[in-house]
Amino acid sequence: MTGPRTTYSDSTTVVRWAAFSCVLVPVVLLWYGTSLAGATGTALGLAAVTGVCRLLLRESERGAARLRDEAARMKDEVRGGPAPSRRGRHHRTGTGAHRGGRHSGGNTPVG
């Protein structure tokens, strides 16, 4: 996976800051002379957006946890498959240019 992983404490911190802003913004609006109804509406709007974002963040964390669990399960299944051949350096199989023995010509320089 790419990108930073969000931990529970990170998402909790984000939600706490969002809740703090839901209180702070209306207070600042009242300080600068906005009506009580306008500040209340702003607070309710911010609270709704914060709630939706919290739900989306929680769902995203669950999805990421499911993907991690599935990847770990798939890795375990691959590990449980047939054991790889442990032949060593001098016990390779197959035919290749790097096999020992005599070569049939073709090794002389051109020129």
Side-chain angles (χ1 to χ4, degrees):
M1 282 191 288
T2 61
R5 291 186 179 175
T6 304
T7 62
Y8 177 75
S9 63
D10 291 341
S11 62
T12 303
T13 302
V14 169
V15 172
R16 285 182 182 167
W17 275 107
F20 174 70
S21 71
C22 287
V23 174
L24 181 65
V25 169
V27 169
V28 170
L29 288 174
L30 286 173
W31 181 268
Y32 281 102
T34 305
S35 68
L36 183 61
T40 302
T42 301
L44 291 175
L46 286 173
V49 168
T50 300
V52 170
C53 288
R54 182 176 181 196
L55 290 175
L56 291 173
L57 183 61
R58 185 179 297 168
E59 186 62 31
S60 174
E61 289 172 343
R62 287 179 184 164
R66 280 193 299 264
L67 286 175
R68 280 192 302 269
D69 292 343
E70 184 177 332
R73 182 180 52 80
M74 290 176 73
K75 186 184 282 188
D76 290 341
E77 287 177 2
V78 169
R79 285 184 186 163
S85 175
R86 306 222 186 256
R87 290 188 176 265
R89 181 176 179 186
H90 297 291
H91 299 281
R92 296 182 197 161
T93 60
T95 59
H98 298 287
R99 301 287 299 159
R102 296 185 177 259
H103 298 282
S104 58
N107 289 333
T108 59
V110 178

